[in-house]
């Protein structure tokens, strides 16, 4: 698992990955109230500073197979994503799809990410 440096309110997280580190699929739900979006910013250069360590989003769709999406980020790129679920248009209107996010195993180098979590943890 990656090393984490959190500020006091857990609104900002700096994740530091070394070879073999990963981040299991999860949802960042803290406290009674959670903002629906979160942001992750890649601080390292893929292919130069590290290999592996891809950002992964997985949709858990009702009565269907889960679907993974790998988000290719460059140094300084940010991804904004739903913390818990997102609306999806179906044949009978919109429904909620649960989302989880994580990072695949780092194969080499060092990977640094800044995560911004919008919530009011207690």
């Amino acid at each position: 698992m990656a090393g984490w440096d959190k500020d006091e309110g857990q609104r900002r997280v700096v994740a530091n990955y070394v070879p073999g580190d990963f981040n299991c699929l999860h949802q960042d739900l803290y406290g009674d109230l959670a903002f629906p979006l979160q942001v992750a910013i890649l601080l390292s250069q893929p292919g130069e500073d590290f290999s592996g360590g891809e950002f992964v989003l997985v949709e858990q769709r009702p009565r269907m197979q889960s679907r993974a999406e790998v988000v290719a980020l460059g140094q300084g790129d940010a991804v904004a994503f739903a913390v818990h679920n997102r609306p999806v248009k179906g044949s009978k209107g919109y429904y909620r799809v649960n989302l989880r996010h994580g990072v695949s195993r780092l194969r080499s180098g060092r990977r640094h990410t800044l995560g911004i979590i919008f919530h009011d943890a207690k």
Side-chain angles (χ1 to χ4, degrees), residues 87-95:
V88 172
K89 187 172 183 176
S91 59
K92 297 179 182 178
Y94 287 90
Y95 62 97

Side-chain angles (χ1 to χ4, degrees), residues 16-46:
N16 302 295
Y17 296 83
V18 296
D21 282 351
F22 61 94
N23 196 341
C24 294
L25 293 174
H26 67 283
Q27 297 174 325
D28 291 310
L29 298 171
Y30 307 103
D32 298 331
L33 184 63
F35 190 74
L37 299 175
Q38 185 173 331
V39 175
I41 304 164
L42 183 60
L43 304 176
S44 305
Q45 178 66 45

Side-chain angles (χ1 to χ4, degrees), residues 8 48 122:
E8 190 170 312
E48 186 175 313
K122 294 181 181 182

Side-chain angles (χ1 to χ4, degrees), residues 3 21 39 46 54 59 68 71 91 110:
D21 282 351
V39 175
E54 293 86 3
E59 290 183 342
V71 181
S91 59
R110 296 181 64 88

Side-chain angles (χ1 to χ4, degrees), residues 47-118:
E48 186 175 313
D49 296 332
F50 69 93
S51 66
E54 293 86 3
F55 184 82
V56 180
L57 286 169
V58 174
E59 290 183 342
Q60 294 175 307
R61 303 177 301 166
R63 297 173 302 284
M64 292 188 225
Q65 293 288 324
S66 294
R67 178 171 48 198
E69 224 23 83
V70 174
V71 181
L73 298 171
Q75 185 175 28
D77 286 349
V79 57
F81 55 96
V83 171
H84 185 228
N85 52 48
R86 73 178 192 90
V88 172
K89 187 172 183 176
S91 59
K92 297 179 182 178
Y94 287 90
Y95 62 97
R96 291 181 186 182
V97 169
N98 283 328
L99 288 178
R100 295 190 183 280
H101 64 279
V103 175
S104 68
R105 186 178 56 83
L106 195 74
R107 292 188 293 277
S108 67
R110 296 181 64 88
R111 179 189 191 273
H112 306 285
T113 304
L114 173 63
I116 302 171
I117 303 169
F118 305 98

